[in-house]
Amino acid sequence: MTEPEIVVKLGGAQGVDFSAICLDAMELLKSEVRLVFVHGGSAEANALGEALGAPPKFITSPSGYTSRYTDRRTLEIFLMAVNGKLNSLLVEQLQRLGVPAFGLSGMDGGLLQATRKDAIQSMENGKRKVIRDDYTGKIERVNAALLNLLLDAGYLPVVAPLAISEKGEALNVDADRAAAMIAAALKVETLILLTAAPGLLRSFPDETTLIRTLPQNRLSVALEAAQGRMKKKVLGAEEALKGGVRRVVIADGRVSSPISAALSGNGTTIQ
Ligand code: ADP
């Protein structure tokens, strides 16, 4: 394979400009580049949950990570919002630009195989609680052959962050880590995480403290600076680099041509 391969994760936070990202993809595909999109969708799922009378619930692990609590009903709402709506709308936007987008979730063809976290610990009012009906997964394997099949045929795969368990259960997975695992499985050159920030900020939310480049061995610095969900991006970056990805760029998804900008050094480049 000689064409550069890029995995792009589209953040779901407000301000991330999907149409600018799709336009950029259209331009990039004119040269021989192979692109894979992975998107999140928590905001969309939260909104649908509110509308259906099932507002989102979050849990905080003893080590301080916050994640969505996904009982069966929440999982079904997640499917509707993320795979049903968001993935389809992205495919629609790309198709309108003449980009041969192929929408699929990590369940399709066993693209993302995960183990279900069958007992997770949650901190509530300073006390540890064990939750057993959560449909969240940790990705173990990526069916890279399936993605290569689509890429070889000229499609741009657009992946929704769901996975399938060994028992055949649908699982909600973290989109940043899904993108990282896909990037590592395909051994791509570049993983780009587009978000509603200029990159990784040393002192959030001060945008003048943007970290431009970071060697992999200084990721612990990044982990300290990152708050909340930004931590997952840094962990994803680490996983991707360990898996053989050459560089990870955390970059602004709110600008024009966000993918090209990230490729030319916009944002935080970790390598
Ligand atoms: P996405 O939907 O793109 O995955 P999230 O909202 O989950 O994004 O996480 C990214 C957000 O994390 C940024 O928009 C920013 O508000 C926040 N954040 C926390 N710490 C930092 C940091 N050190 N640098 C940049 N952003 C940070």
Side-chain angles (χ1 to χ4, degrees):
M1 219 143 308
T2 47
E3 307 97 20
E5 272 192 329
I6 305 162
V7 172
V8 182
K9 191 286 181 146
L10 288 69
Q14 273 215 331
V16 173
D17 190 347
F18 279 19
S19 39
I21 297 170
C22 292
L23 259 176
D24 202 7
M26 178 190 77
E27 290 300 329
L28 283 165
L29 287 171
K30 288 178 184 162
S31 49
E32 297 288 288
V33 65
R34 288 156 66 99
L35 275 178
V36 177
F37 278 7
V38 181
H39 60 86
S42 331
E44 201 69 46
N46 292 353
L48 183 62
E50 299 279 359
L52 295 177
K57 290 168 264 186
F58 292 93
I59 45 181
T60 306
S61 74
S63 52
Y65 291 101
T66 301
S67 57
R68 170 190 298 278
Y69 169 34
T70 310
D71 56 13
R72 186 70 200 181
R73 180 154 159 74
T74 309
L75 174 78
E76 289 179 7
I77 292 169
F78 192 80
L79 283 169
M80 290 185 250
V82 177
N83 197 23
K85 185 178 171 188
L86 207 60
N87 190 276
S88 304
L89 289 181
L90 262 169
V91 170
E92 182 191 33
Q93 249 186 72
L94 288 161
Q95 294 274 354
R96 197 181 296 141
L97 295 169
V99 174
F102 191 112
L104 74 171
S105 92
M107 282 195 288
D108 294 294
L111 172 59
L112 300 175
Q113 293 151 41
T115 44
R116 183 175 170 193
K117 298 172 188 166
D118 49 10
I120 50 172
Q121 296 199 0
S122 157
M123 294 301 286
E124 274 172 44
N125 306 319
K127 281 197 202 124
R128 256 171 222 256
K129 216 182 123 184
V130 178
I131 294 178
R132 293 189 189 278
D133 65 338
D134 189 80
Y135 287 88
T136 308
K138 180 175 180 291
I139 300 168
E140 303 289 353
R141 268 183 314 278
V142 176
N143 183 352
L146 172 59
L147 285 176
N148 279 321
L149 201 74
L150 293 171
L151 289 165
D152 288 344
Y155 293 104
L156 187 166
V158 179
V159 182
L162 287 146
I164 192 84
S165 78
E166 60 275 30
K167 288 186 194 148
E169 300 150 311
L171 300 172
N172 167 357
V173 291
D174 179 71
D176 288 305
R177 297 184 97 162
M181 294 290 287
I182 288 173
L186 289 175
K187 304 237 174 297
V188 300
E189 233 172 75
T190 314
L191 166 65
I192 301 176
L193 304 173
L194 294 175
T195 189
L200 183 64
L201 306 173
R202 196 177 299 279
S203 165
F204 178 77
D206 181 354
E207 300 203 349
T208 63
T209 64
L210 174 68
I211 300 171
R212 294 214 146 269
T213 53
L214 200 65
Q216 188 181 350
N217 60 14
R218 292 198 49 229
L219 270 176
S220 54
V221 178
L223 215 45
E224 264 170 48
Q227 292 162 29
R229 294 225 347 112
M230 186 49 85
K231 271 195 199 302
K232 295 219 179 172
K233 293 189 199 302
V234 176
L235 290 173
E238 192 172 20
E239 268 168 9
L241 292 167
K242 277 191 186 143
V245 174
R246 211 167 54 77
R247 64 171 167 170
V248 181
V249 190
I250 300 176
D252 210 327
R254 304 165 299 180
V255 300
S256 59
S257 305
I259 306 171
S260 309
L263 288 173
S264 55
N266 202 41
T268 304
T269 301
I270 309 166
Q271 63 192 144

